[in-house]
Amino acid sequence: MHLAYPAVLSALLFCTGLYGVLARRNAILVLMSVELMLNTVNLNLVAFDVWLSRAAEETLHSGQALTLFTIAIAAAEIGIGLAIVLAVHRNRGTADIDKLRDTAEGYEPDGPDSDTSDSETPATGTAAEKAEATA
């Protein structure tokens, strides 16, 4: 089998995952797209490992070893990512990435009804109010 077949398939799947990361608004779908991109990297690692092992006398299978490390990292990433998404969904009631922008400290809306001017600092009282409310 030629190296071009898995490389083209990997490129198509990676572009699909990249589109999913850039276009989706749901955090779970973004995590699934990242997993798809990591799996295309695994496909490339194994394909190049098989291709290079035919040329070399010794087969080290370093591509397959790196694939195992990538799978372990992907499992940890999806576990932590889903835990964060579930915690945010419990607190905010949504997993929409655009609506979660206000979770950063000091966020002020830039709309016409905003009361702050350019010379004032961002809302420092909101972080203190949140700390008092949780204490």
Side-chain angles (χ1 to χ4, degrees):
M1 183 167 80
H2 295 286
L3 181 63
Y5 298 135
V8 169
L9 177 65
S10 176
L12 290 174
L13 288 175
F14 190 85
C15 289
T16 303
L18 185 65
Y19 172 76
V21 167
L22 296 176
R24 300 291 178 190
R25 291 191 173 143
N26 191 349
I28 295 175
L29 292 177
V30 170
L31 285 174
M32 288 174 59
S33 298
V34 169
E35 287 293 320
L36 181 63
M37 292 185 339
L38 285 172
N39 285 330
T40 59
V41 169
N42 290 340
L43 177 64
N44 264 337
L45 285 171
V46 171
F48 277 98
D49 181 49
V50 169
W51 182 65
L52 289 174
S53 69
R54 289 182 188 168
E57 293 176 7
E58 298 177 8
T59 56
L60 296 176
H61 299 294
S62 59
Q64 294 177 12
L66 285 173
T67 299
L68 289 176
F69 285 119
T70 307
I71 290 171
I73 289 171
E77 175 259 335
I78 199 69
I80 293 171
L82 281 176
I84 291 171
V85 168
L86 286 175
V88 167
H89 188 270
R90 281 187 194 148
N91 291 335
R92 297 287 179 176
T94 184
D96 191 1
I97 294 175
D98 291 336
K99 292 181 182 176
L100 298 177
R101 186 176 64 175
D102 62 346
T103 59
E105 290 185 37
Y107 171 73
E108 284 293 321
D110 294 333
D113 58 342
S114 179
D115 294 334
T116 60
S117 64
D118 292 339
S119 63
E120 296 179 7
T121 59
T124 56
T126 57
E129 291 172 3
K130 288 179 185 177
E132 290 177 15
T134 57

